[in-house]
Amino acid sequence: MAGSTSWSDPFPDMFSPRGYYPAAIYAEVGKERRIYVCGGFNQVPLDTCDYLDIDAKKWKYVPNILTSPRSLTAGVLLPDGVSFLICGGLNGSHD
């Protein structure tokens, strides 16, 4: 709001705080506009994936997307507009 001196978050917090996740990926699925957040780091690499339903302003959990915890990855939305690829990154192992 113009002239406001306070910050207002337009969306709720994610289920679990994280950093070092791939660029949030935008997709339109049916009538939902989504921003996906997968993997990342919160004390350890994460194997969870959530998406924000932009219009409902709610985070939703996506089951079984990552096969192992990943942080510092890259992500790209594929040409079909709903699938995305996550690759690279670290899993916390030095092997």
Side-chain angles (χ1 to χ4, degrees), residues 47-81:
D47 64 356
T48 57
C49 184
D50 306 321
Y51 74 86
L52 175 67
D53 178 334
I54 296 170
D55 298 312
K57 296 183 179 181
K58 291 184 180 180
W59 284 97
K60 298 179 181 178
Y61 176 71
V62 181
N64 305 320
I65 291 290
L66 299 177
T67 58
S68 68
R70 309 300 296 168
S71 65
L72 295 168
T73 57
V76 63
L77 184 64
L78 298 179
D80 66 6

Side-chain angles (χ1 to χ4, degrees), residues 21-23 25 71-76 85-89:
Y21 50 86
I25 301 164
S71 65
L72 295 168
T73 57
V76 63
L85 176 67
I86 298 170
C87 59

Side-chain angles (χ1 to χ4, degrees), residues 20-59:
Y20 309 110
Y21 50 86
I25 301 164
Y26 173 80
E28 288 189 28
V29 180
K31 293 186 178 188
E32 281 187 351
R33 296 181 304 148
R34 300 177 177 183
I35 297 176
Y36 287 90
V37 175
C38 297
F41 191 85
N42 183 357
Q43 306 298 321
V44 296
L46 302 173
D47 64 356
T48 57
C49 184
D50 306 321
Y51 74 86
L52 175 67
D53 178 334
I54 296 170
D55 298 312
K57 296 183 179 181
K58 291 184 180 180
W59 284 97

